[in-house]
Amino acid sequence: MNTSSTTPVMDKLIIYQIFTRLFGNQNTTNKINGSLAENGSGTFNTINDAALTAIKQFGASHVWFTGIVEHATQTDYSAYGLRPDDPTVVKGRAGSPYAVKDYYDVDPDLAENVTERMAEFEALIRRTHAYGLKVITDFVPNHVARQYHSDAKPAGVVDLGEQDNTSVNFAPDNNFYYLPNETFVSPEAGLLDKTTPNRLHEFPAKVTGSGSITATPDANDWYETVKLNYGLNIFDGSQHVSPVPATWQQMLDILLFWADKGVDGFRCDMAQLVPVAFWRWAIERVKLKYPRTIFIAEIYEPHLYRPFIFEGGFDYLYDKVGLYDTLRALMEGRGSCYDITRVWQHQSGDYSQHMLRFLETHDEQRIASHFFTNDPWAAIPAMTLSATMHTGPFLLYFGQEIGVRAEGSEGFSGDDGRTTIFDYWGLPDWQNWINGGRYDGALLTNEQRLLRAFYQQLNHLVNGSDAIQNGYFYDLQYANENGQSAGYDAHKIYSYLRYTNRQRLLIVCNFSNDTSYDTTVRIPGHAFGVMNLDPNQTYQFSDVFLTHTTVTASGREGVSLSLPPRGVRVLEIK
């Protein structure tokens, strides 16, 4: 159960995700399916000095600004020279930020002065850096909006599809895949009058972003997007990567365009749908110019973890189907702490430190929603473990720290427990944190302030702990299960060590929502040995996190603890 064979090498990043359209929006109208004029939008400028000061004090190291790049929308910006979109291929009034319309431009919704939108984003980058924070943005490589057209591309850049041979379904240098002699039909086409302006006529039809080889994708598909071609012939499975496909070079140019502007990292949307050979080629070239750039892969297939890290060159991968799914089950009163052991055993050795842990993102349901736990405090043990179990990074989604619930329908996304990414909306609880642009939480309830204090204290614990940032991990379940330790329920209690030569921590989490435990946590002799401690000595175990209490115990006897429901202890051994 000891993983001390691995020397940690990665930084312990704390990534704070902002959904930019919603983050600074103080409009309280919240009309379902409301327009930009009715419901408003946050902007680059509303992420002001007060907001960035609060994020820095919160303990974050990186800010992921989500939804920055220009995407398809039902809002008409033709007065500014931007082509309007057919509403039958736009999800929601605001549109999906993952249906990119121009890789070289930013979302005009986010600008106070539309003609100065890029300058406003560049100012946000400088402002963020001034507070010692790094900037992460989305890179969406697998698909683009159906009506993709770059108005802002630099001189000499060939637009996607501009040189495609549309008479064939596949060619290595085509950017898109085609269905010759077929016309695309949107599943939403029947909902609008055929005389509606800006109607899309796509002939020949392109393959949908999900990979669906049909001219008539259904309403549950990614019908608003089309898939990009990286040299993989999806019709027969053959690969054509020499010479380098046109899409590879175009995507590298886009990455370098944003890195040149000061973007420090890229969260790569649905990275698993793009060949690993491209990632190896592109990441190597970006890092040749910007060595400290980080790449995060959204990926949901565990069998791809190793190749995407060690072949593709990714720094971090989403830990969704491993730790997130396991912790969610425990938070909901299902599952077992034995499942946590199974997760790390599959990620032990050479890549656990590459996994990005989280409990909320824009894709996942809010913890406090009735679709999840209906109680934001249910996150206490799971969030503590996510942040402290390994040396890899963890992520917090804006609003998570005050228990935003995402109740009711905002428009396209419906009532699904997620904060909408498709609609113009304001979050009332979050607006109480904004407090007129002061970002001081003066209007929060006492319960919300306490919850935010927990998250901030957790971040500060991580930032100040040598053992958590750099230490080894040792699972203690095997030494306490099956009656070895009185009162220890190994299905609900999880204990482990994090240690370096400078600091040694015993961390214990009670995942039960309603049961207290009076138990003893045993540390086996082998564990004392790898920590360079004598098991025959008496030690002080001091909680450096929440309770600030101290227990004195002999090494061989174990540590007696009282754990309330959802209780956690982070005990420094001295």
Side-chain angles (χ1 to χ4, degrees):
M1 311 301 287
N2 173 31
T3 61
S4 63
S5 59
T6 303
T7 302
V9 295
M10 310 303 275
D11 293 327
K12 186 72 179 179
L13 314 181
I14 301 177
I15 300 173
Y16 188 74
Q17 182 189 3
I18 283 175
F19 195 82
T20 316
R21 187 198 305 143
L22 303 178
F23 182 82
N25 186 21
Q26 298 180 60
N27 186 308
T28 59
T29 303
N30 282 355
K31 176 183 176 182
I32 295 176
N33 287 314
S35 67
L36 172 63
E38 291 166 326
N39 286 352
S41 174
T43 65
F44 299 129
N45 291 351
T46 56
I47 307 172
N48 57 21
D49 289 319
L52 293 167
T53 297
I55 293 169
K56 182 65 175 179
Q57 292 175 346
F58 190 52
S61 60
H62 292 64
V63 184
W64 167 15
F65 295 108
T66 307
I68 296 298
V69 178
E70 185 188 357
H71 57 79
T73 178
Q74 294 186 33
T75 300
D76 189 348
Y77 284 101
S78 57
Y80 298 93
L82 303 179
R83 294 185 180 184
D85 298 292
D86 181 346
T88 67
V89 287
V90 180
K91 291 181 176 177
R93 292 293 292 272
S96 167
Y98 297 100
V100 170
K101 181 179 175 179
D102 186 348
Y103 279 120
Y104 289 100
D105 207 349
V106 294
D107 180 4
D109 285 345
L110 306 179
E112 292 184 4
N113 182 341
V114 173
T115 59
E116 296 295 320
R117 58 192 180 275
M118 186 62 80
E120 290 183 18
F121 177 57
E122 291 167 347
L124 174 60
I125 294 175
R126 292 192 297 271
R127 201 158 58 243
T128 304
H129 286 162
Y131 283 90
L133 296 161
K134 300 292 188 182
V135 172
I136 297 172
T137 63
D138 289 286
F139 175 55
V140 186
N142 175 69
H143 50 269
V144 295
R146 285 227 173 243
Q147 292 177 284
Y148 183 92
H149 174 80
S150 179
D151 304 295
K153 67 184 188 298
V157 170
V158 176
D159 210 3
L160 294 176
E162 184 179 333
Q163 298 181 350
D164 280 9
N165 176 2
T166 63
S167 67
V168 295
N169 57 18
F170 169 82
D173 276 335
N174 275 0
N175 294 133
F176 301 116
Y177 300 98
Y178 295 91
L179 302 174
N181 303 316
E182 296 188 58
T183 300
F184 167 73
V185 179
S186 168
E188 305 295 321
L191 302 181
L192 294 178
D193 189 278
K194 292 188 178 180
T195 63
T196 301
N198 314 318
R199 293 306 297 271
L200 167 67
H201 178 70
E202 184 179 295
F203 180 87
K206 300 182 182 78
V207 170
T208 295
S210 63
S212 297
I213 302 174
T214 175
T216 57
D218 66 39
N220 295 316
D221 207 340
W222 304 351
Y223 62 83
E224 80 281 21
T225 65
V226 290
K227 186 171 178 62
L228 286 167
N229 167 18
Y230 285 81
L232 172 65
N233 186 338
I234 61 173
F235 300 95
D236 66 14
S238 60
Q239 296 190 51
H240 307 261
V241 297
S242 182
V244 169
T247 302
W248 285 30
Q249 186 63 55
Q250 288 163 290
M251 293 296 109
L252 174 61
D253 291 344
I254 290 161
L255 286 166
L256 290 171
F257 173 84
W258 292 106
D260 286 344
K261 291 187 179 297
V263 171
D264 303 293
F266 298 95
R267 176 268 187 188
C268 300
D269 184 73
M270 293 307 296
Q272 69 182 55
L273 299 182
V274 173
V276 70
F278 162 76
W279 292 118
R280 179 174 61 248
W281 181 88
I283 291 173
E284 181 181 274
R285 283 160 176 76
V286 172
K287 291 196 174 191
L288 191 64
K289 186 173 183 181
Y290 298 103
R292 299 184 69 83
T293 305
I294 65 170
F295 284 83
I296 302 167
E298 180 189 20
I299 186 168
Y300 301 107
E301 300 291 340
H303 73 277
L304 295 176
Y305 288 176
R306 194 175 297 277
F308 269 72
I309 295 167
F310 298 112
E311 297 174 34
F314 275 97
D315 299 290
Y316 307 109
L317 312 180
Y318 266 35
D319 194 357
K320 163 65 172 67
V321 299
L323 195 62
Y324 172 89
D325 286 350
T326 294
L327 294 179
R328 176 162 183 157
L330 284 162
M331 292 165 68
E332 294 177 329
R334 304 177 289 110
S336 165
C337 289
Y338 284 105
D339 297 327
I340 299 173
T341 297
R342 280 190 281 273
V343 167
W344 78 252
Q345 285 177 335
H346 284 95
Q347 296 170 4
S348 63
D350 54 356
Y351 70 88
S352 63
Q353 71 270 29
H354 293 278
M355 304 307 293
L356 172 62
R357 275 61 189 252
F358 57 85
L359 294 180
E360 285 189 1
T361 69
H362 65 284
D363 283 319
E364 307 305 332
Q365 291 169 325
R366 292 287 193 176
I367 296 164
S369 77
H370 66 269
F371 292 90
F372 197 161
T373 67
N374 208 34
D375 181 357
W377 292 98
I380 299 300
M383 198 65 238
T384 301
L385 184 140
S386 294
T388 65
M389 185 175 175
H390 286 302
T391 56
F394 66 100
L395 178 150
L396 298 166
Y397 188 35
F398 90 104
Q400 177 181 343
E401 71 272 32
I402 62 166
V404 166
R405 293 185 176 276
E407 300 292 340
S409 173
E410 305 99 332
F412 179 85
S413 62
D415 182 10
D416 62 1
R418 297 173 179 85
T419 296
T420 180
I421 66 170
F422 304 104
D423 306 288
Y424 298 111
W425 202 253
L427 306 181
D429 287 336
W430 184 250
Q431 290 168 337
N432 289 337
W433 166 256
I434 297 174
N435 187 26
R438 299 175 187 86
Y439 293 91
D440 60 5
L443 303 180
L444 295 178
T445 66
N446 187 57
E447 194 80 357
Q448 289 170 324
R449 290 193 190 96
L450 290 172
L451 184 65
R452 190 177 190 279
F454 158 76
Y455 279 97
Q456 181 161 308
Q457 197 168 343
L458 177 61
N459 291 343
H460 289 193
L461 169 72
V462 169
N463 285 333
S465 170
D466 182 58
I468 293 170
Q469 289 192 31
N470 305 303
Y472 300 113
F473 165 82
Y474 195 111
D475 189 321
L476 294 174
Q477 293 299 89
Y478 84 101
N480 291 280
E481 64 183 349
N482 298 327
Q484 294 179 83
S485 297
Y488 193 98
D489 181 350
H491 290 288
K492 294 297 182 182
I493 300 174
Y494 191 78
S495 59
Y496 52 101
L497 300 168
R498 296 298 312 283
Y499 62 95
T500 63
N501 288 331
R502 293 192 292 175
Q503 187 183 41
R504 300 157 182 88
L505 298 177
L506 166 62
I507 302 175
V508 187
C509 300
N510 176 12
F511 283 91
S512 175
N513 292 313
D514 48 30
T515 302
S516 297
Y517 292 96
D518 292 316
T519 187
T520 298
V521 180
R522 294 182 67 253
I523 302 174
H526 179 262
F528 275 103
V530 297
M531 291 192 293
N532 295 316
L533 297 178
D534 183 353
N536 297 308
Q537 295 295 314
T538 296
Y539 297 95
Q540 287 190 325
F541 295 79
S542 299
D543 189 356
V544 294
F545 185 26
L546 296 178
T547 69
H548 301 288
T549 55
T550 298
V551 176
T552 301
S554 167
R556 289 201 179 278
E557 293 176 359
V559 186
S560 296
L561 296 173
S562 293
L563 295 169
R566 301 170 179 166
V568 298
R569 299 289 184 267
V570 180
L571 304 168
E572 186 165 14
I573 307 170
K574 288 187 175 179

